[in-house]
């Protein structure tokens, strides 16, 4: 069965510092990987998907199939990056996303 | 364009009571999903639908039922609420090969 692991429940960083959110997955095939973000009192929204290979709000994520990881990175954190971040895996075309437990990011000035 | 709308936003139930959560989307999406969000557990899939008139079980379906009588609506029912069903419930929809669009969530407390 597929599994998504986000080892950090809380990540506290200073404004301007780099931030990296770890995500590891287990799946025997070739999944689609996503990062979703939930700002305070807002709905979840897509931040990144690995097949698009684009940078959103300064965030990037690289799929490492050898290490089965999809870590999210940003070189300079901003206060508006404070949010809950979820890594998710889709094993098939039906979009049944398997979510990790989430990482709460707090960026302090 | 409202996107995905969930009603109600909040609800408090007593153990054993029943209720229905409504999810409506105006994007003509084929696929709809119900997730529950619990601290430390992320989002877990309850039920989903791949089209009007179809439903299927997700990861945690026990204690819930769903119906998709109309393409735009996906209802989640709790026949006999239990405290373990206290959670935040999210509905989502998507079209093929497109990202999920989420609703704002329903916060349910069962006492």
């Amino acid at each position: 069965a597929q599994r998504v692991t986000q080892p950090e429940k809380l990540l506290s960083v200073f404004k301007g510092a780099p931030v990296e959110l770890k995500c590891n997955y287990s799946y025997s095939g070739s999944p689609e990987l996503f990062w979703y973000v939930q700002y305070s009192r807002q709905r979840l929204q897509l931040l990144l998907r690995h097949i698009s290979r684009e940078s959103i709000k300064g965030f990037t994520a690289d799929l490492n199939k050898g290490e089965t990881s999809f870590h999210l990175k940003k070189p300079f954190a901003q206060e508006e990056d404070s949010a809950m971040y979820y890594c998710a895996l889709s094993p098939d075309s039906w979009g049944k996303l398997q979510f990790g437990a989430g990482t709460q990011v707090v960026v302090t000035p | 364009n409202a996107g995905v709308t969930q009603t109600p936003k909040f609800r408090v139930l007593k153990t054993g009571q029943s209720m229905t959560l409504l999810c409506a989307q105006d994007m003509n999406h084929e696929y709809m999903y119900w997730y529950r969000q619990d601290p430390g557990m992320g989002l877990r899939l309850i039920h989903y639908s791949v089209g009007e008139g179809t439903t299927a079980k997700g990861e945690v379906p026990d204690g819930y039922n769903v119906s998709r009588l109309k393409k735009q609506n996906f209802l989640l029912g709790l026949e006999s609420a239990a405290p373990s069903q206290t959670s935040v419930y999210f509905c989502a929809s998507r079209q093929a090969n497109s990202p999920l669009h989420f609703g704002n969530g329903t916060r349910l407390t069962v006492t």
Side-chain angles (χ1 to χ4, degrees):
Chain A
Q2 62 269 13
R3 184 180 179 89
V4 178
T5 303
Q6 293 180 249
E8 304 125 335
K9 288 185 180 179
L10 175 65
L11 210 53
S12 185
V13 298
F14 287 107
K15 178 182 173 180
V19 60
E20 180 179 26
L21 287 73
K22 290 184 167 49
C23 172
N24 289 90
Y25 68 92
S26 61
Y27 183 67
S28 57
S30 296
E32 275 200 69
L33 274 298
F34 304 82
W35 276 99
Y36 277 81
V37 60
Q38 186 179 28
Y39 301 103
S40 179
R41 300 183 185 280
Q42 295 187 26
R43 65 187 71 196
L44 279 88
Q45 53 188 285
L46 178 67
L47 182 63
L48 283 175
R49 59 190 304 191
H50 87 271
I51 60 173
S52 64
R53 302 182 65 84
E54 54 186 345
S55 173
I56 305 293
K57 298 185 179 182
F59 285 97
T60 58
D62 291 319
L63 178 61
N64 187 323
K65 291 186 178 181
E67 296 182 358
T68 58
S69 67
F70 189 54
H71 303 327
L72 183 69
K73 302 176 184 178
K74 185 169 183 176
F76 307 104
Q78 303 299 314
E79 289 180 66
E80 56 265 29
D81 296 328
S82 295
M84 178 70 85
Y85 292 80
Y86 291 99
C87 182
L89 175 156
S90 177
D92 56 35
S93 61
W94 300 116
K96 291 181 293 177
L97 290 182
Q98 179 82 31
F99 284 86
T103 297
Q104 181 73 49
V105 172
V106 176
V107 181
T108 52
Chain B
N1 190 340
V4 180
T5 304
Q6 292 183 232
T7 53
K9 293 181 180 172
F10 304 95
R11 186 72 187 268
V12 178
L13 288 179
K14 293 185 177 179
T15 298
Q17 287 185 318
S18 63
M19 78 162 293
T20 300
L21 283 67
L22 171 63
C23 176
Q25 53 94 4
D26 60 3
M27 298 171 283
N28 202 35
H29 285 171
E30 287 293 331
Y31 311 132
M32 296 187 74
Y33 310 83
W34 275 107
Y35 286 89
R36 58 177 291 173
Q37 181 187 41
D38 302 291
M41 305 189 76
L43 281 81
R44 292 179 291 168
L45 182 64
I46 305 171
H47 285 281
Y48 66 101
S49 167
V50 300
E52 181 180 315
T54 74
T55 64
K57 294 180 180 180
E59 183 185 352
V60 287
D62 294 342
Y64 305 94
N65 57 74
V66 288
S67 64
R68 182 101 182 266
L69 298 179
K70 293 183 179 180
K71 186 177 184 179
Q72 62 268 34
N73 296 336
F74 196 29
L75 279 63
L76 178 70
L78 287 74
E79 290 189 350
S80 180
S84 61
Q85 293 177 304
T86 293
S87 186
V88 180
Y89 292 84
F90 285 98
C91 176
S93 71
R94 71 191 287 268
Q95 199 57 298
N97 298 315
S98 296
L100 284 177
H101 293 258
F102 282 88
N104 275 325
T106 295
R107 188 173 295 273
L108 175 66
T109 302
V110 182
T111 61

